[in-house]
PDB file of all heavy atoms in Angstrom:
ATOM      1  N   VAL A  44     -23.785  31.761  48.733  1.00 98.00           N
ATOM      2  CA  VAL A  44     -22.918  31.493  49.919  1.00 98.00           C
ATOM      3  C   VAL A  44     -23.044  30.026  50.341  1.00 98.00           C
ATOM      4  O   VAL A  44     -22.033  29.346  50.518  1.00 98.00           O
ATOM      5  CB  VAL A  44     -23.267  32.416  51.067  1.00 98.00           C
ATOM      6  CG1 VAL A  44     -22.530  31.921  52.350  1.00 98.00           C
ATOM      7  CG2 VAL A  44     -22.875  33.886  50.701  1.00 98.00           C
ATOM      8  N   VAL A  45     -24.228  29.499  50.487  1.00 98.00           N
ATOM      9  CA  VAL A  45     -24.413  28.158  50.951  1.00 98.00           C
ATOM     10  C   VAL A  45     -23.883  27.171  49.991  1.00 98.00           C
ATOM     11  O   VAL A  45     -23.200  26.184  50.374  1.00 98.00           O
ATOM     12  CB  VAL A  45     -25.930  27.870  51.148  1.00 98.00           C
ATOM     13  CG1 VAL A  45     -26.141  26.412  51.461  1.00 98.00           C
ATOM     14  CG2 VAL A  45     -26.420  28.643  52.388  1.00 98.00           C
ATOM     15  N   GLU A  46     -24.124  27.315  48.701  1.00 98.00           N
ATOM     16  CA  GLU A  46     -23.531  26.431  47.689  1.00 98.00           C
ATOM     17  C   GLU A  46     -22.014  26.416  47.722  1.00 98.00           C
ATOM     18  O   GLU A  46     -21.381  25.389  47.647  1.00 98.00           O
ATOM     19  CB  GLU A  46     -24.015  26.769  46.293  1.00 98.00           C
ATOM     20  CG  GLU A  46     -25.466  26.661  46.027  1.00 98.00           C
ATOM     21  CD  GLU A  46     -25.841  25.176  45.806  1.00 98.00           C
ATOM     22  OE1 GLU A  46     -24.942  24.309  45.658  1.00 98.00           O
ATOM     23  OE2 GLU A  46     -27.046  24.852  45.672  1.00 98.00           O
ATOM     24  N   GLY A  47     -21.446  27.616  47.970  1.00 98.00           N
ATOM     25  CA  GLY A  47     -19.999  27.730  48.027  1.00 98.00           C
ATOM     26  C   GLY A  47     -19.414  27.047  49.284  1.00 98.00           C
ATOM     27  O   GLY A  47     -18.500  26.235  49.245  1.00 98.00           O
ATOM     28  N   LEU A  48     -20.117  27.285  50.453  1.00 98.00           N
ATOM     29  CA  LEU A  48     -19.626  26.634  51.707  1.00 98.00           C
ATOM     30  C   LEU A  48     -19.741  25.163  51.600  1.00 98.00           C
ATOM     31  O   LEU A  48     -18.943  24.453  52.144  1.00 98.00           O
ATOM     32  CB  LEU A  48     -20.479  27.212  52.835  1.00 98.00           C
ATOM     33  CG  LEU A  48     -20.331  28.643  53.126  1.00 98.00           C
ATOM     34  CD1 LEU A  48     -21.217  29.000  54.418  1.00 98.00           C
ATOM     35  CD2 LEU A  48     -18.874  29.010  53.538  1.00 98.00           C
ATOM     36  N   GLU A  49     -20.784  24.588  50.988  1.00 98.00           N
ATOM     37  CA  GLU A  49     -20.983  23.189  50.893  1.00 98.00           C
ATOM     38  C   GLU A  49     -19.908  22.544  50.002  1.00 98.00           C
ATOM     39  O   GLU A  49     -19.685  21.335  50.117  1.00 98.00           O
ATOM     40  CB  GLU A  49     -22.373  22.864  50.315  1.00 98.00           C
ATOM     41  CG  GLU A  49     -23.468  23.143  51.313  1.00 98.00           C
ATOM     42  CD  GLU A  49     -24.840  22.920  50.715  1.00 98.00           C
ATOM     43  OE1 GLU A  49     -24.988  22.897  49.505  1.00 98.00           O
ATOM     44  OE2 GLU A  49     -25.812  22.844  51.515  1.00 98.00           O
ATOM     45  N   SER A  50     -19.168  23.321  49.188  1.00 98.00           N
ATOM     46  CA  SER A  50     -18.131  22.725  48.350  1.00 98.00           C
ATOM     47  C   SER A  50     -16.774  22.689  49.079  1.00 98.00           C
ATOM     48  O   SER A  50     -15.867  22.073  48.545  1.00 98.00           O
ATOM     49  CB  SER A  50     -17.996  23.621  47.093  1.00 98.00           C
ATOM     50  OG  SER A  50     -17.340  24.830  47.344  1.00 98.00           O
ATOM     51  N   LEU A  51     -16.713  23.253  50.286  1.00 98.00           N
ATOM     52  CA  LEU A  51     -15.401  23.389  50.971  1.00 98.00           C
ATOM     53  C   LEU A  51     -15.141  22.148  51.827  1.00 98.00           C
ATOM     54  O   LEU A  51     -16.003  21.530  52.370  1.00 98.00           O
ATOM     55  CB  LEU A  51     -15.434  24.648  51.867  1.00 98.00           C
ATOM     56  CG  LEU A  51     -15.675  25.941  51.110  1.00 98.00           C
ATOM     57  CD1 LEU A  51     -15.857  27.054  52.107  1.00 98.00           C
ATOM     58  CD2 LEU A  51     -14.526  26.272  50.168  1.00 98.00           C
ATOM     59  N   PRO A  52     -13.896  21.904  52.040  1.00 98.00           N
ATOM     60  CA  PRO A  52     -13.438  20.831  52.923  1.00 98.00           C
ATOM     61  C   PRO A  52     -13.733  21.112  54.406  1.00 98.00           C
ATOM     62  O   PRO A  52     -13.792  22.222  54.785  1.00 98.00           O
ATOM     63  CB  PRO A  52     -11.986  20.640  52.700  1.00 98.00           C
ATOM     64  CG  PRO A  52     -11.520  21.949  52.284  1.00 98.00           C
ATOM     65  CD  PRO A  52     -12.670  22.533  51.469  1.00 98.00           C
ATOM     66  N   ASP A  53     -13.934  20.069  55.188  1.00 98.00           N
ATOM     67  CA  ASP A  53     -14.108  20.283  56.602  1.00 98.00           C
ATOM     68  C   ASP A  53     -13.012  21.117  57.254  1.00 98.00           C
ATOM     69  O   ASP A  53     -11.807  20.904  56.928  1.00 98.00           O
ATOM     70  CB  ASP A  53     -14.106  18.847  57.381  1.00 98.00           C
ATOM     71  CG  ASP A  53     -15.348  18.040  57.000  1.00 98.00           C
ATOM     72  OD1 ASP A  53     -16.341  18.629  56.430  1.00 98.00           O
ATOM     73  OD2 ASP A  53     -15.379  16.872  57.293  1.00 98.00           O
ATOM     74  N   GLY A  54     -13.359  21.967  58.119  1.00 97.00           N
ATOM     75  CA  GLY A  54     -12.403  22.769  58.864  1.00 97.00           C
ATOM     76  C   GLY A  54     -11.904  23.934  58.127  1.00 97.00           C
ATOM     77  O   GLY A  54     -11.051  24.721  58.606  1.00 97.00           O
ATOM     78  N   TRP A  55     -12.425  24.196  56.854  1.00 98.00           N
ATOM     79  CA  TRP A  55     -11.958  25.339  56.049  1.00 98.00           C
ATOM     80  C   TRP A  55     -12.165  26.652  56.806  1.00 98.00           C
ATOM     81  O   TRP A  55     -13.199  26.863  57.378  1.00 98.00           O
ATOM     82  CB  TRP A  55     -12.710  25.339  54.741  1.00 98.00           C
ATOM     83  CG  TRP A  55     -12.318  26.429  53.752  1.00 98.00           C
ATOM     84  CD1 TRP A  55     -11.370  26.265  52.738  1.00 98.00           C
ATOM     85  CD2 TRP A  55     -12.785  27.763  53.583  1.00 98.00           C
ATOM     86  NE1 TRP A  55     -11.286  27.497  52.073  1.00 98.00           N
ATOM     87  CE2 TRP A  55     -12.135  28.415  52.552  1.00 98.00           C
ATOM     88  CE3 TRP A  55     -13.750  28.486  54.292  1.00 98.00           C
ATOM     89  CZ2 TRP A  55     -12.413  29.738  52.177  1.00 98.00           C
ATOM     90  CZ3 TRP A  55     -14.050  29.880  53.977  1.00 98.00           C
ATOM     91  CH2 TRP A  55     -13.341  30.411  52.908  1.00 98.00           C
ATOM     92  N   GLU A  56     -11.165  27.501  56.756  1.00 97.00           N
ATOM     93  CA  GLU A  56     -11.251  28.825  57.338  1.00 97.00           C
ATOM     94  C   GLU A  56     -10.847  29.861  56.259  1.00 97.00           C
ATOM     95  O   GLU A  56      -9.897  29.633  55.546  1.00 97.00           O
ATOM     96  CB  GLU A  56     -10.292  28.996  58.570  1.00 97.00           C
ATOM     97  CG  GLU A  56     -10.652  28.115  59.799  1.00 97.00           C
ATOM     98  CD  GLU A  56      -9.870  28.385  60.956  1.00 97.00           C
ATOM     99  OE1 GLU A  56      -8.868  29.233  60.845  1.00 97.00           O
ATOM    100  OE2 GLU A  56     -10.121  27.844  62.071  1.00 97.00           O
ATOM    101  N   GLY A  57     -11.485  30.971  56.259  1.00 97.00           N
ATOM    102  CA  GLY A  57     -11.203  31.975  55.269  1.00 97.00           C
ATOM    103  C   GLY A  57     -12.214  33.108  55.190  1.00 97.00           C
ATOM    104  O   GLY A  57     -13.074  33.308  56.113  1.00 97.00           O
ATOM    105  N   THR A  58     -12.184  33.788  54.107  1.00 97.00           N
ATOM    106  CA  THR A  58     -12.973  35.029  53.942  1.00 97.00           C
ATOM    107  C   THR A  58     -14.065  34.720  52.929  1.00 97.00           C
ATOM    108  O   THR A  58     -13.792  34.194  51.862  1.00 97.00           O
ATOM    109  CB  THR A  58     -12.147  36.198  53.444  1.00 97.00           C
ATOM    110  OG1 THR A  58     -11.089  36.445  54.406  1.00 97.00           O
ATOM    111  CG2 THR A  58     -12.958  37.459  53.258  1.00 97.00           C
ATOM    112  N   VAL A  59     -15.302  35.138  53.235  1.00 97.00           N
ATOM    113  CA  VAL A  59     -16.437  35.101  52.353  1.00 97.00           C
ATOM    114  C   VAL A  59     -16.729  36.539  51.857  1.00 97.00           C
ATOM    115  O   VAL A  59     -17.018  37.437  52.675  1.00 97.00           O
ATOM    116  CB  VAL A  59     -17.722  34.498  52.949  1.00 97.00           C
ATOM    117  CG1 VAL A  59     -18.921  34.522  51.942  1.00 97.00           C
ATOM    118  CG2 VAL A  59     -17.431  33.108  53.437  1.00 97.00           C
ATOM    119  N   ALA A  60     -16.568  36.780  50.507  1.00 97.00           N
ATOM    120  CA  ALA A  60     -16.786  38.136  49.986  1.00 97.00           C
ATOM    121  C   ALA A  60     -18.160  38.224  49.223  1.00 97.00           C
ATOM    122  O   ALA A  60     -18.321  37.365  48.379  1.00 97.00           O
ATOM    123  CB  ALA A  60     -15.587  38.483  49.083  1.00 97.00           C
ATOM    124  N   SER A  61     -18.950  39.224  49.549  1.00 97.00           N
ATOM    125  CA  SER A  61     -20.174  39.288  48.872  1.00 97.00           C
ATOM    126  C   SER A  61     -20.529  40.767  48.735  1.00 97.00           C
ATOM    127  O   SER A  61     -20.042  41.625  49.534  1.00 97.00           O
ATOM    128  CB  SER A  61     -21.310  38.688  49.769  1.00 97.00           C
ATOM    129  OG  SER A  61     -22.556  38.966  49.252  1.00 97.00           O
ATOM    130  N   ASP A  62     -21.405  41.119  47.740  1.00 97.00           N
ATOM    131  CA  ASP A  62     -21.817  42.489  47.593  1.00 97.00           C
ATOM    132  C   ASP A  62     -23.213  42.663  48.222  1.00 97.00           C
ATOM    133  O   ASP A  62     -23.870  43.699  48.018  1.00 97.00           O
ATOM    134  CB  ASP A  62     -21.800  42.945  46.129  1.00 97.00           C
ATOM    135  CG  ASP A  62     -22.724  42.055  45.238  1.00 97.00           C
ATOM    136  OD1 ASP A  62     -23.580  41.337  45.758  1.00 97.00           O
ATOM    137  OD2 ASP A  62     -22.587  42.156  44.008  1.00 97.00           O
ATOM    138  N   SER A  63     -23.634  41.742  49.056  1.00 97.00           N
ATOM    139  CA  SER A  63     -24.843  41.805  49.794  1.00 97.00           C
ATOM    140  C   SER A  63     -24.652  41.939  51.266  1.00 97.00           C
ATOM    141  O   SER A  63     -24.202  40.986  51.987  1.00 97.00           O
ATOM    142  CB  SER A  63     -25.697  40.517  49.515  1.00 97.00           C
ATOM    143  OG  SER A  63     -26.870  40.482  50.382  1.00 97.00           O
ATOM    144  N   MET A  64     -24.947  43.161  51.805  1.00 95.00           N
ATOM    145  CA  MET A  64     -24.805  43.373  53.271  1.00 95.00           C
ATOM    146  C   MET A  64     -25.795  42.516  53.974  1.00 95.00           C
ATOM    147  O   MET A  64     -25.446  42.028  55.095  1.00 95.00           O
ATOM    148  CB  MET A  64     -25.040  44.909  53.545  1.00 95.00           C
ATOM    149  CG  MET A  64     -24.779  45.166  55.034  1.00 95.00           C
ATOM    150  SD  MET A  64     -24.974  46.964  55.385  1.00 95.00           S
ATOM    151  CE  MET A  64     -23.675  47.673  54.490  1.00 95.00           C
ATOM    152  N   VAL A  65     -27.011  42.375  53.508  1.00 96.00           N
ATOM    153  CA  VAL A  65     -27.989  41.565  54.149  1.00 96.00           C
ATOM    154  C   VAL A  65     -27.462  40.139  54.368  1.00 96.00           C
ATOM    155  O   VAL A  65     -27.634  39.527  55.518  1.00 96.00           O
ATOM    156  CB  VAL A  65     -29.315  41.525  53.400  1.00 96.00           C
ATOM    157  CG1 VAL A  65     -30.262  40.444  53.982  1.00 96.00           C
ATOM    158  CG2 VAL A  65     -29.957  42.910  53.350  1.00 96.00           C
ATOM    159  N   THR A  66     -26.878  39.546  53.342  1.00 97.00           N
ATOM    160  CA  THR A  66     -26.370  38.206  53.448  1.00 97.00           C
ATOM    161  C   THR A  66     -25.219  38.080  54.503  1.00 97.00           C
ATOM    162  O   THR A  66     -25.176  37.162  55.236  1.00 97.00           O
ATOM    163  CB  THR A  66     -25.864  37.735  52.028  1.00 97.00           C
ATOM    164  OG1 THR A  66     -26.920  37.669  51.149  1.00 97.00           O
ATOM    165  CG2 THR A  66     -25.218  36.332  52.108  1.00 97.00           C
ATOM    166  N   LEU A  67     -24.309  38.971  54.441  1.00 96.00           N
ATOM    167  CA  LEU A  67     -23.209  38.952  55.360  1.00 96.00           C
ATOM    168  C   LEU A  67     -23.690  39.100  56.799  1.00 96.00           C
ATOM    169  O   LEU A  67     -23.134  38.511  57.748  1.00 96.00           O
ATOM    170  CB  LEU A  67     -22.151  40.067  55.087  1.00 96.00           C
ATOM    171  CG  LEU A  67     -21.373  39.842  53.754  1.00 96.00           C
ATOM    172  CD1 LEU A  67     -20.534  41.054  53.400  1.00 96.00           C
ATOM    173  CD2 LEU A  67     -20.486  38.543  53.826  1.00 96.00           C
ATOM    174  N   ARG A  68     -24.646  40.026  57.012  1.00 95.00           N
ATOM    175  CA  ARG A  68     -25.176  40.153  58.412  1.00 95.00           C
ATOM    176  C   ARG A  68     -25.955  38.874  58.869  1.00 95.00           C
ATOM    177  O   ARG A  68     -25.816  38.445  60.043  1.00 95.00           O
ATOM    178  CB  ARG A  68     -26.136  41.328  58.471  1.00 95.00           C
ATOM    179  CG  ARG A  68     -25.429  42.645  58.351  1.00 95.00           C
ATOM    180  CD  ARG A  68     -26.385  43.783  58.738  1.00 95.00           C
ATOM    181  NE  ARG A  68     -25.762  45.102  58.638  1.00 95.00           N
ATOM    182  CZ  ARG A  68     -25.038  45.631  59.633  1.00 95.00           C
ATOM    183  NH1 ARG A  68     -24.820  44.961  60.729  1.00 95.00           N
ATOM    184  NH2 ARG A  68     -24.535  46.863  59.397  1.00 95.00           N
ATOM    185  N   ARG A  69     -26.611  38.237  57.983  1.00 96.00           N
ATOM    186  CA  ARG A  69     -27.306  36.946  58.281  1.00 96.00           C
ATOM    187  C   ARG A  69     -26.250  35.849  58.700  1.00 96.00           C
ATOM    188  O   ARG A  69     -26.469  35.078  59.604  1.00 96.00           O
ATOM    189  CB  ARG A  69     -28.155  36.531  57.173  1.00 96.00           C
ATOM    190  CG  ARG A  69     -29.472  37.264  56.973  1.00 96.00           C
ATOM    191  CD  ARG A  69     -30.253  36.830  55.797  1.00 96.00           C
ATOM    192  NE  ARG A  69     -31.563  37.318  55.814  1.00 96.00           N
ATOM    193  CZ  ARG A  69     -32.444  37.262  54.762  1.00 96.00           C
ATOM    194  NH1 ARG A  69     -32.039  36.724  53.614  1.00 96.00           N
ATOM    195  NH2 ARG A  69     -33.646  37.708  54.838  1.00 96.00           N
ATOM    196  N   MET A  70     -25.143  35.890  57.961  1.00 94.00           N
ATOM    197  CA  MET A  70     -24.099  34.854  58.254  1.00 94.00           C
ATOM    198  C   MET A  70     -23.414  35.041  59.538  1.00 94.00           C
ATOM    199  O   MET A  70     -23.248  34.154  60.309  1.00 94.00           O
ATOM    200  CB  MET A  70     -22.985  34.976  57.169  1.00 94.00           C
ATOM    201  CG  MET A  70     -23.421  34.446  55.756  1.00 94.00           C
ATOM    202  SD  MET A  70     -22.016  34.771  54.663  1.00 94.00           S
ATOM    203  CE  MET A  70     -20.674  34.017  55.518  1.00 94.00           C
ATOM    204  N   LEU A  71     -23.054  36.330  59.894  1.00 93.00           N
ATOM    205  CA  LEU A  71     -22.063  36.573  60.916  1.00 93.00           C
ATOM    206  C   LEU A  71     -22.533  37.532  62.086  1.00 93.00           C
ATOM    207  O   LEU A  71     -21.774  37.709  63.018  1.00 93.00           O
ATOM    208  CB  LEU A  71     -20.762  37.027  60.387  1.00 93.00           C
ATOM    209  CG  LEU A  71     -20.116  36.093  59.268  1.00 93.00           C
ATOM    210  CD1 LEU A  71     -18.931  36.779  58.599  1.00 93.00           C
ATOM    211  CD2 LEU A  71     -19.721  34.789  59.946  1.00 93.00           C
ATOM    212  N   ALA A  72     -23.666  38.107  61.900  1.00 89.00           N
ATOM    213  CA  ALA A  72     -24.232  38.942  63.024  1.00 89.00           C
ATOM    214  C   ALA A  72     -25.349  38.173  63.717  1.00 89.00           C
ATOM    215  O   ALA A  72     -26.384  37.956  63.154  1.00 89.00           O
ATOM    216  CB  ALA A  72     -24.726  40.381  62.478  1.00 89.00           C
ATOM    217  N   PRO A  73     -25.098  37.705  64.976  1.00 82.00           N
ATOM    218  CA  PRO A  73     -26.005  36.811  65.551  1.00 82.00           C
ATOM    219  C   PRO A  73     -27.449  37.249  65.600  1.00 82.00           C
ATOM    220  O   PRO A  73     -28.372  36.411  65.602  1.00 82.00           O
ATOM    221  CB  PRO A  73     -25.461  36.621  66.936  1.00 82.00           C
ATOM    222  CG  PRO A  73     -23.941  36.994  66.821  1.00 82.00           C
ATOM    223  CD  PRO A  73     -23.877  38.053  65.799  1.00 82.00           C
ATOM    224  N   LEU A  74     -27.689  38.528  65.758  1.00 86.00           N
ATOM    225  CA  LEU A  74     -29.111  38.961  65.928  1.00 86.00           C
ATOM    226  C   LEU A  74     -29.807  39.437  64.685  1.00 86.00           C
ATOM    227  O   LEU A  74     -30.963  39.912  64.727  1.00 86.00           O
ATOM    228  CB  LEU A  74     -29.075  40.172  66.923  1.00 86.00           C
ATOM    229  CG  LEU A  74     -28.613  39.830  68.323  1.00 86.00           C
ATOM    230  CD1 LEU A  74     -28.680  41.048  69.243  1.00 86.00           C
ATOM    231  CD2 LEU A  74     -29.311  38.679  69.008  1.00 86.00           C
ATOM    232  N   SER A  75     -29.163  39.210  63.572  1.00 88.00           N
ATOM    233  CA  SER A  75     -29.677  39.655  62.299  1.00 88.00           C
ATOM    234  C   SER A  75     -30.883  38.752  61.917  1.00 88.00           C
ATOM    235  O   SER A  75     -30.763  37.554  62.003  1.00 88.00           O
ATOM    236  CB  SER A  75     -28.687  39.621  61.170  1.00 88.00           C
ATOM    237  OG  SER A  75     -27.801  40.680  61.351  1.00 88.00           O
ATOM    238  N   PRO A  76     -32.013  39.328  61.453  1.00 91.00           N
ATOM    239  CA  PRO A  76     -33.153  38.523  61.113  1.00 91.00           C
ATOM    240  C   PRO A  76     -32.995  37.711  59.857  1.00 91.00           C
ATOM    241  O   PRO A  76     -32.345  38.227  58.918  1.00 91.00           O
ATOM    242  CB  PRO A  76     -34.315  39.454  60.991  1.00 91.00           C
ATOM    243  CG  PRO A  76     -33.631  40.780  60.628  1.00 91.00           C
ATOM    244  CD  PRO A  76     -32.295  40.738  61.316  1.00 91.00           C
ATOM    245  N   TRP A  77     -33.591  36.552  59.695  1.00 93.00           N
ATOM    246  CA  TRP A  77     -33.658  35.748  58.472  1.00 93.00           C
ATOM    247  C   TRP A  77     -34.989  35.838  57.773  1.00 93.00           C
ATOM    248  O   TRP A  77     -35.332  34.972  56.987  1.00 93.00           O
ATOM    249  CB  TRP A  77     -33.240  34.380  58.797  1.00 93.00           C
ATOM    250  CG  TRP A  77     -31.764  34.160  59.036  1.00 93.00           C
ATOM    251  CD1 TRP A  77     -31.040  34.576  59.987  1.00 93.00           C
ATOM    252  CD2 TRP A  77     -30.840  33.373  58.197  1.00 93.00           C
ATOM    253  NE1 TRP A  77     -29.703  34.230  59.931  1.00 93.00           N
ATOM    254  CE2 TRP A  77     -29.537  33.428  58.744  1.00 93.00           C
ATOM    255  CE3 TRP A  77     -31.015  32.657  56.989  1.00 93.00           C
ATOM    256  CZ2 TRP A  77     -28.448  32.789  58.288  1.00 93.00           C
ATOM    257  CZ3 TRP A  77     -29.890  32.019  56.452  1.00 93.00           C
ATOM    258  CH2 TRP A  77     -28.658  32.081  57.072  1.00 93.00           C
ATOM    259  N   SER A  78     -35.856  36.770  58.174  1.00 89.00           N
ATOM    260  CA  SER A  78     -37.202  36.865  57.607  1.00 89.00           C
ATOM    261  C   SER A  78     -37.161  36.929  56.117  1.00 89.00           C
ATOM    262  O   SER A  78     -36.350  37.671  55.562  1.00 89.00           O
ATOM    263  CB  SER A  78     -37.942  38.021  58.255  1.00 89.00           C
ATOM    264  OG  SER A  78     -37.233  39.232  57.981  1.00 89.00           O
ATOM    265  N   GLY A  79     -38.026  36.206  55.500  1.00 89.00           N
ATOM    266  CA  GLY A  79     -38.162  36.184  53.999  1.00 89.00           C
ATOM    267  C   GLY A  79     -37.197  35.196  53.387  1.00 89.00           C
ATOM    268  O   GLY A  79     -37.264  34.987  52.174  1.00 89.00           O
ATOM    269  N   CYS A  80     -36.293  34.506  54.125  1.00 92.00           N
ATOM    270  CA  CYS A  80     -35.319  33.581  53.638  1.00 92.00           C
ATOM    271  C   CYS A  80     -35.914  32.165  53.947  1.00 92.00           C
ATOM    272  O   CYS A  80     -36.251  31.882  55.052  1.00 92.00           O
ATOM    273  CB  CYS A  80     -33.958  33.755  54.277  1.00 92.00           C
ATOM    274  SG  CYS A  80     -32.607  32.831  53.398  1.00 92.00           S
ATOM    275  N   PRO A  81     -35.952  31.266  52.990  1.00 94.00           N
ATOM    276  CA  PRO A  81     -36.491  29.896  53.262  1.00 94.00           C
ATOM    277  C   PRO A  81     -35.775  29.216  54.414  1.00 94.00           C
ATOM    278  O   PRO A  81     -34.491  29.321  54.492  1.00 94.00           O
ATOM    279  CB  PRO A  81     -36.206  29.165  51.883  1.00 94.00           C
ATOM    280  CG  PRO A  81     -36.145  30.228  50.931  1.00 94.00           C
ATOM    281  CD  PRO A  81     -35.555  31.432  51.586  1.00 94.00           C
ATOM    282  N   GLU A  82     -36.531  28.567  55.238  1.00 95.00           N
ATOM    283  CA  GLU A  82     -35.984  27.917  56.463  1.00 95.00           C
ATOM    284  C   GLU A  82     -34.921  26.817  56.052  1.00 95.00           C
ATOM    285  O   GLU A  82     -33.924  26.704  56.730  1.00 95.00           O
ATOM    286  CB  GLU A  82     -37.102  27.288  57.244  1.00 95.00           C
ATOM    287  CG  GLU A  82     -36.630  26.616  58.479  1.00 95.00           C
ATOM    288  CD  GLU A  82     -35.966  27.535  59.557  1.00 95.00           C
ATOM    289  OE1 GLU A  82     -36.237  28.756  59.441  1.00 95.00           O
ATOM    290  OE2 GLU A  82     -35.046  27.067  60.350  1.00 95.00           O
TER     291      GLU A  82
END
């Protein structure tokens, strides 16, 4: 996800599709933990 977002132009808006629920929650659910993911 991060590599993809870094390739996008400033202000890009759209949909990120993933088969990882953990990743999507980390992205967009404010209270989801990032434990185990490199800072």
